[in-house]
């Protein structure tokens, strides 16, 4: 489990596809790799990956084909920055919200608006995820725990906005994303469970 509070920005050192349709990712990450062990979980821009190799300030993880299909991790290339968070420890403060690292899909930026000291990003929201996103609710974008500041719909479909403070712009990759950029999206786990439970409620009761 994670909290969506980014610990550091890592840099992709290696990316190679594998014969099984997956990939192997190597990341320079002085903090995340400092106490990494084989089998540990590290969230890479919101995707929970398992450490298979680690060394001095570097770790390597395998990425399944399914993960490549549903996330923006497939867009990565050597030199790209990624948001990193190690798995939470029991007893840690929950600074963000409960994040599983199980990406629901991706969202593209459709508008960027700069205010005096913060930035508003508007993302196109896939139709199937729209019921899971509520105004002032929690959402994870590229691994970052954020509060939804607005939701709406236009001729092209649903959208949501998040407002980023200077610290988030500086400490995460969201400060560099522009219109057209894709980010991994994880909706609130409680909303997902409620949606699933409702599918079992008889129509007469619902």
């Amino acid at each position: 489990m994670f909290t969506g509070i980014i610990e550091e920005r890592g840099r992709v050192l290696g990316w190679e596809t594998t014969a099984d349709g997956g990939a192997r990712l190597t990341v320079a990450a002085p903090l995340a790799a400092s106490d990494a062990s084989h089998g540990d979980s590290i969230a890479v821009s919101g995707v929970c990956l398992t450490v298979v190799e680690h060394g001095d300030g570097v770790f390597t993880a395998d990425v399944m084909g399914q993960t490549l299909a549903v996330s923006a991790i497939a867009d990565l290339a050597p030199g790209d920055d990624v948001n990193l968070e190690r798995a939470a420890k029991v007893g840690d403060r929950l600074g963000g919200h409960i994040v599983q690292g199980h990406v629901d899909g991706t969202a593209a930026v459709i508008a960027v608006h700069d205010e005096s000291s913060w930035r508003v990003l508007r993302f196109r929201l896939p139709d199937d995820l729209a019921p899971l996103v509520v105004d002032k609710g929690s959402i994870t974008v590229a691994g970052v725990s954020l509060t939804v500041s607005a939701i709406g719909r236009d001729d092209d479909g649903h959208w949501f906005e998040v407002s980023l403070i200077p610290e988030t712009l500086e400490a995460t990759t969201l400060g560099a994303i522009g219109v057209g950029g894709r980010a991994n999206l994880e909706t609130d786990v409680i909303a997902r469970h409620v949606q699933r439970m409702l599918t079992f409620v008889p129509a007469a009761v619902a």
Side-chain angles (χ1 to χ4, degrees):
M1 188 189 81
F2 307 92
T3 69
I5 303 301
I6 302 305
E7 296 185 292
E8 70 174 330
R9 282 205 324 227
R11 178 151 294 181
V12 176
L13 296 180
W15 173 269
E16 57 182 288
T17 56
T18 55
D20 59 2
R24 176 158 283 205
L25 174 68
T26 300
V27 180
L31 178 61
S34 64
D35 60 353
S37 297
H38 186 88
D40 281 354
S41 294
I42 297 177
V44 180
S45 291
V47 179
C48 178
L49 297 179
T50 300
V51 175
V52 295
E53 294 178 4
H54 59 92
D56 186 15
V58 174
F59 75 87
T60 297
D62 289 330
V63 186
M64 295 188 302
Q66 171 65 14
T67 303
L68 296 176
V70 302
S71 75
I73 205 165
D75 299 341
L76 292 177
D80 288 345
D81 284 350
V82 289
N83 297 323
L84 299 175
E85 181 188 358
R86 293 170 293 180
K89 297 179 180 178
V90 175
D92 280 355
R93 289 186 175 89
L94 187 60
H97 70 283
I98 296 174
V99 176
Q100 294 181 299
H102 302 163
V103 173
D104 293 306
T106 63
V109 178
I110 57 174
V112 177
H113 181 68
D114 284 314
E115 299 287 351
S116 57
S117 60
W118 69 90
R119 179 175 299 164
V120 178
L121 300 181
R122 179 176 291 189
F123 288 88
R124 179 63 63 201
L125 183 60
D127 289 344
D128 62 323
L129 300 184
L132 305 175
V133 179
V134 299
D135 191 25
K136 305 304 183 288
S138 296
I139 195 164
T140 309
V141 181
V144 184
S145 173
L146 297 170
T147 299
V148 177
S149 55
I151 56 174
R153 184 170 186 171
D154 55 29
D155 292 341
D156 295 318
H158 298 276
W159 55 261
F160 74 94
E161 291 181 346
V162 289
S163 300
L164 309 181
I165 62 174
E167 171 64 19
T168 303
L169 295 171
E170 176 66 26
T172 76
T173 61
L174 293 178
I177 196 170
V179 173
R182 283 204 311 161
N184 294 320
L185 203 64
E186 181 182 334
T187 56
D188 186 70
V189 62
I190 297 175
R192 297 203 303 271
H193 278 292
V194 170
Q195 183 187 58
R196 176 61 175 166
M197 290 169 63
L198 288 175
T199 64
F200 294 95
V201 176
V205 176

